[in-house]
Amino acid sequence: MPTDVPASAALFERAQAVTPGGVNSPVRAFNAVGGTPRFITSARGAWLTDADGRDYVDLIGSWGPMLLGHAHPEVQEAVQAAVARGTSYGTPTVPEVELAEEIVARTSVERVRFVSSGTEATMSAIRLARGFTGRDVVVKFAGCYHGHVDALLASAGSGLMTFALPGTPGVPASSTELTLVLPYNDRAAVEQVFAEHGERIACLVTEASPGNMGVVPPEPGFNAFLSEICRRHGALFVSDEVMTGFRVTRQGQWGLDGAVEGWAPDLVTFGKVMGGGFPAAAFGGRAEVMHHLAPEGPVYQAGTLSGNPIATTAGLTTLRLATDDVYAHLDRVATTIREAACAALTGAGVAHVAQSTGTMFSVFLTEGPVRDFDDASRTDTAAYAAFFHSMLDQGVYLPPSAYEAWFVSAAHDERAVQAVLDALPDAARAAAAAQQGSAA
Ligand SMILES: *Cc1c(COP(=O)(O)O)cnc(C)c1O
């Protein structure tokens, strides 16, 4: 395939010779959109630079973490000072206490434990929920991603009440036979499984506002309903805020519902923004539940690099800089880009719907509303691929998949936003042309 990014193409070939698919996380390979993944060699503010020296406005933000933009001077300074003091001690450290205090101050959680990835956070939260309740069944929603935890890489069985099937080869049926998968935003389905299996359910885990099938916000009162039905049946409500935490508001999704409505999840998972671009994640919750975790309690959980001083310094500095002004800016930028994308798609005659929660949004190339995974699956992926490549050619880096949120940062200034707005009309026309091509 001819390419105008020869350096990336050559690197991709080298990468494929030594790494499956040439990438260390599948979506980076561009399989959903085709073409050559760009090898990014540096990033600053809202901009990425690739191995061929091309610049792009970044609308991925490392898939969520880069709330302040890339190479933020204060974050870099704090990290460099921390590196100079050594990179890992395997002892308690100051920054992990400070980061835990910051998270407890912002969110509903009373105690927090650090891990190194969102996957580890949800895996550990489920173990703790099972250990705390002495029960074994886990309920999740189709289209919600919680990392690559065996029990959660599950797809719905043949009926609502049947246990799930492995979502990938390599997951034994025994790992998903205690998982129930329900359609999102479906209260009747939740009521039905609790009526049937209530006393076996250890926890219900949900993305606080799903962002991994595109952004599919909970309908008003849905999270409160989940919290209440869990409480009534003695199950724990696990809210996965790995993507939404410190992103959609300064308190995460909980700032939009629980904090307003007066309820709190039993356990919450965090990641992405709280690591400031380093591998750091966490799970936390009510003191009574967290008390069951080793060394206070019997439920085992550990990690060599958990609470790493560099990662927690980056996260702490990021959160301290993530002020109300930052969230107000993110909100304005997200609204501007979202509205411009809709205007361009309307102008080109492409069916679409933009959905958002706080400062996080995505654009589905299908009629809305999108309430669950079945709705999201109707998005026109071929039209998105054309849209994506037009944007990329014009210097805007969107997620290389139709089912992902678009992330903005505090560093998205007028120049970066204008570059996005300038690119949208051509991209919308490319999407329209792809649809006409496939209809013909
Ligand atoms: C990204 C994500 C995870 C997994 O986090 P990793 O750090 O990639 O393991 C879990 N839950 C949600 C909601 C996520 O968006």
Side-chain angles (χ1 to χ4, degrees):
M1 180 194 278
T3 173
D4 48 357
V5 284
S8 280
L11 285 163
F12 193 41
E13 231 176 270
R14 271 173 65 191
Q16 285 171 297
V18 287
T19 299
V23 294
N24 287 300
S25 202
V27 74
R28 297 177 195 168
F30 276 26
N31 280 358
V33 291
T36 309
R38 306 307 196 250
F39 281 66
I40 300 303
T41 50
S42 68
R44 177 161 298 273
W47 297 83
L48 302 170
T49 303
D50 74 8
D52 292 281
R54 288 166 160 246
D55 293 328
Y56 305 87
V57 180
D58 182 16
L59 291 180
I60 304 182
S62 188
W63 301 91
M66 308 317 298
L67 188 82
L68 302 177
H70 296 282
H72 189 287
E74 284 171 71
V75 177
Q76 290 217 314
E77 199 181 312
V79 164
Q80 280 161 4
V83 167
R85 293 189 293 268
T87 55
S88 182
Y89 323 125
T91 68
T93 63
V94 178
E96 65 192 326
V97 180
E98 293 182 328
L99 180 56
E101 286 170 347
E102 177 77 27
I103 290 173
V104 166
R106 279 183 179 236
T107 69
S108 66
V109 308
E110 297 171 340
R111 301 282 188 280
V112 62
R113 168 67 56 86
F114 292 128
V115 292
S116 299
S117 71
T119 295
E120 248 186 292
T122 55
M123 179 185 80
S124 307
I126 283 167
R127 182 183 307 141
L128 177 57
R130 286 171 160 163
F132 178 80
T133 58
R135 301 172 175 185
D136 52 12
V137 171
V138 173
V139 180
K140 79 171 290 277
F141 293 108
C144 281
Y145 177 68
H146 304 289
H148 60 103
V149 179
D150 277 3
L152 300 178
L153 285 180
S155 53
S158 53
L160 218 50
M161 293 308 135
T162 55
F163 285 89
L165 305 170
T168 169
V171 172
S174 61
S175 291
T176 54
E177 72 188 17
L178 296 171
T179 306
L180 287 161
V181 182
L182 304 180
Y184 192 65
N185 270 325
D186 187 338
R187 292 185 190 220
V190 175
E191 270 161 4
Q192 221 177 319
V193 298
F194 272 93
E196 180 94 353
H197 298 289
E199 67 292 1
R200 284 188 66 194
I201 297 173
C203 64
L204 178 148
V205 56
T206 182
E207 285 190 60
S209 179
N212 283 292
M213 49 176 150
V215 175
V216 180
E219 287 175 355
F222 187 62
N223 281 334
F225 160 78
L226 296 177
S227 166
E228 167 56 23
I229 199 163
C230 285
R231 196 191 55 73
R232 203 153 16 96
H233 289 270
L236 299 190
F237 179 44
V238 183
S239 180
D240 183 349
E241 294 240 32
V242 170
M243 183 182 285
T244 52
F246 320 109
R247 158 66 62 180
V248 302
T249 73
R250 78 187 298 284
Q251 300 167 299
Q253 176 66 24
W254 183 73
L256 295 173
D257 49 37
V260 184
E261 298 159 357
W263 55 269
D266 299 294
L267 289 172
V268 187
T269 55
F270 301 105
K272 298 196 167 104
V273 171
M274 63 151 284
F278 282 80
F283 63 105
R286 290 196 281 125
E288 182 206 357
V289 178
M290 293 299 286
H291 175 66
H292 274 63
L293 206 56
E296 261 179 20
V299 178
Y300 188 71
Q301 189 277 332
T304 301
L305 292 175
S306 293
N308 172 270
I310 312 305
T312 48
T313 294
L316 177 66
T317 311
T318 297
L319 290 189
R320 284 184 174 164
L321 290 165
T323 59
D324 290 341
D325 284 350
V326 163
Y327 291 99
H329 176 84
L330 295 174
D331 218 21
R332 280 194 301 274
V333 170
T335 303
T336 302
I337 293 177
R338 193 184 68 225
E339 287 178 353
C342 289
L345 290 163
T346 300
V350 179
H352 67 278
V353 60
Q355 298 192 165
S356 55
T357 186
T359 68
M360 196 172 94
F361 70 100
S362 72
V363 180
F364 296 91
L365 299 187
T366 179
E367 302 284 354
V370 174
R371 296 179 63 242
D372 61 18
F373 186 60
D374 279 352
D375 292 344
S377 303
R378 286 200 303 269
T379 204
D380 185 337
T381 52
Y384 183 79
F387 184 79
F388 166 85
H389 276 294
S390 172
M391 294 296 279
L392 194 67
D393 288 345
Q394 297 179 80
V396 179
Y397 208 121
L398 284 173
S401 157
Y403 302 99
E404 305 288 349
W406 300 14
F407 294 103
V408 297
S409 81
H412 282 70
D413 55 10
E414 235 165 86
R415 186 170 75 93
V417 172
Q418 194 58 51
V420 177
L421 302 193
D422 290 346
L424 283 166
D426 269 0
R429 281 190 286 274
Q435 288 184 326
Q436 275 142 23
S438 65

